[in-house]
Amino acid sequence: MTGARSFAYEALPMRVVMGPGVLTRLPEELDRAGLERVLVLCSPPQQELGKTVAQLIGDRAVGVHPHARMHVPVETAAAARDLATKLGADGCVAVGGGSAIGLGKAIALKYGLKIIAVPTTYAGSEMTSVWGLTENGQKRTGKDLRVLPTSVLYDPELTLSLPATASATSGMNAIAHAVEALYAPDASPVISLMAEEGVRSLATALPTVVADPQDLLARSDAQYGAWLCGACLGATTMSLHHKLCHTLGGTLDLPHAETHTVVLPHALAYNQPAAPKAVAALGRALGGFTDPATALWDLGGRLGVPRSLREIGMEKDDIGRVVDLALAHPYANPREITADGLTGLLTRAWSGEAPVA
Ligand code: NAD
């Protein structure tokens, strides 16, 4: 029957606890998961937070490993796995952004250890079963339910220290997950509701977060939006935008959240003509706009985030290479991807022009 609903939806088995101060409930989460010997993982700048977490856990913390790095280099993963084995760890607490959680996933992928995630950015890795490992400049990714965290503790107090610009780019990174979930080949009504609410919550909260990074209410709303957007990423297949960012990050080593921030309005503008339902949902979420790509571009301007690939380190000569790589393997996208279309998109994104459909 024309117009009848048709979709598949699969809930991921995980527990989410959110609220100011919920970090103190970490020992209860270890009880629930039956963990007795956990290794705490974090990035080098968050070593003090890692130690605080270990103190909170007490005797059940067997060590703090503050060596998480962006995109999980295989050497970093091997060192963390060796340490987990040496210490007889039966689980990990990953505290930090996508890098710390990614390192936990690398251990879980090999040894099946349970992960409890305590995210401190808006990147969303904690909500997905996607892992990534980087070797010789090439990032491999895959999906495996063993890397999905058992519990996620979202404590907005831990995000107060995330600098204003990093908060804004991380928030735009989260919004990108929801945007692509809305036109994904495996989109579903539940995920589309989450996507719209996630974008609404982040787009409303981020200007306040940037104006006053200590505003706990805005931090709480931003984190709520990031959770929803992360859930969208975990539940659907991403398209052109994520493919381009993956290529730009992996091949040219451009910074993750900033790359997403710059590319998003352009990738959305490219896909808008072929994704009317997504345009309608995003228009509502962003306050009644008919052109959400331009609305996101304007939001970036108000947040003071980078709006060109040039300013985050890309050379213009690399555009051709990125176009070739992005065309090398087919993937789902609502609109046909052409070399001319991609070249125009990337040229505008590189120079910092406004998006064009
Ligand atoms: P990140 O984890 O590298 O964090 C960026 C920097 O911010 C780090 O130096 C970190 O120590 C610091 N930081 C984090 N939280 C802070 C806080 N509250 N206060 C002060 N400093 C803080 O970056 P990210 O953007 O969170 O994650 C990016 C990585 O995650 C990439 O490797 C990306 O590929 C991966 N990722 C994976 C998935 C997935 O589903 N597998 C999803 C999203 C991102």
Side-chain angles (χ1 to χ4, degrees):
M1 196 203 330
T2 316
R5 293 179 196 281
S6 173
F7 62 89
Y9 169 70
E10 191 175 335
L12 290 176
M14 69 188 323
R15 185 177 144 79
V16 170
V17 183
M18 180 176 284
V22 296
L23 177 64
T24 57
R25 295 206 221 152
L26 187 53
E28 288 167 44
E29 294 306 314
L30 297 188
D31 293 344
R32 279 181 162 266
L35 296 177
E36 292 295 337
R37 296 182 63 78
V38 298
L39 179 60
V40 178
L41 305 167
C42 59
S43 293
Q46 291 181 287
Q47 186 164 5
E48 285 311 310
L49 177 60
K51 286 183 189 165
T52 305
V53 167
Q55 276 169 5
L56 190 67
I57 301 170
D59 290 348
R60 284 189 283 176
V62 293
V64 177
H65 186 64
H67 301 295
R69 284 181 51 205
M70 189 84 83
H71 304 312
V72 200
V74 284
E75 304 78 22
T76 308
R81 286 166 173 165
D82 288 350
L83 184 66
T85 308
K86 192 173 137 206
L87 296 172
D90 61 4
C92 299
V93 172
V95 56
S99 299
I101 294 162
L103 187 56
K105 288 178 167 184
I107 300 175
L109 185 65
K110 183 149 185 190
Y111 297 130
L113 298 193
K114 286 182 180 171
I115 305 171
I116 298 200
V118 185
T120 64
T121 70
Y122 306 131
S125 177
E126 67 281 356
M127 292 307 296
T128 83
S129 59
V130 177
W131 55 266
L133 286 168
T134 303
E135 186 167 21
N136 300 327
Q138 293 286 328
K139 186 166 177 176
R140 284 184 297 130
T141 59
K143 269 193 175 184
D144 193 315
L145 269 182
R146 283 179 305 167
V147 310
L148 187 74
T150 310
S151 298
V152 182
L153 294 182
Y154 282 108
D155 186 338
E157 289 177 0
L158 301 180
T159 63
L160 294 174
S161 54
L162 193 63
T165 304
S167 301
T169 54
S170 194
M172 294 294 268
N173 180 189
I175 288 174
H177 308 328
V179 166
E180 294 228 287
L182 283 165
Y183 53 61
D186 42 7
S188 67
V190 173
I191 294 302
S192 295
L193 286 170
M194 293 173 94
E196 188 173 330
E197 173 73 352
V199 173
R200 180 181 296 112
S201 196
L202 272 161
T204 309
L206 288 177
T208 311
V209 165
V210 167
D212 178 7
Q214 298 303 309
D215 186 318
L216 188 60
L217 204 56
R219 285 293 191 179
S220 171
D221 286 346
Q223 199 176 41
Y224 165 67
W227 163 53
L228 293 169
C229 293
C232 294
L233 177 68
T236 55
T237 304
M238 297 287 108
S239 300
L240 174 66
H241 168 80
H242 281 74
K243 177 75 179 176
L244 281 176
C245 292
H246 185 88
T247 306
L248 288 162
T251 311
L252 306 178
D253 203 23
L254 298 187
H256 179 80
E258 289 86 339
T259 304
H260 274 270
T261 301
V262 174
V263 173
L264 181 61
H266 300 278
L268 176 58
Y270 186 88
N271 279 336
Q272 274 183 181
K277 277 189 177 173
V279 170
L282 291 167
R284 288 190 297 272
L286 293 166
F289 289 92
T290 52
D291 176 3
T294 300
L296 286 174
W297 162 261
D298 291 340
L299 176 64
R302 279 187 284 135
L303 296 174
V305 292
R307 289 201 290 180
S308 71
L309 293 171
R310 173 170 46 184
E311 69 192 284
I312 61 170
M314 182 177 171
E315 302 291 334
K316 193 172 188 186
D317 286 349
D318 283 323
I319 290 176
R321 187 152 63 110
V322 174
V323 170
D324 289 345
L325 284 168
L327 286 170
H329 304 286
Y331 47 90
N333 196 60
R335 185 176 167 195
E336 189 193 356
I337 298 168
T338 62
D340 282 353
L342 277 192
T343 305
L345 184 169
L346 281 170
T347 304
R348 285 186 289 279
W350 180 82
S351 61
E353 286 169 47
V356 174

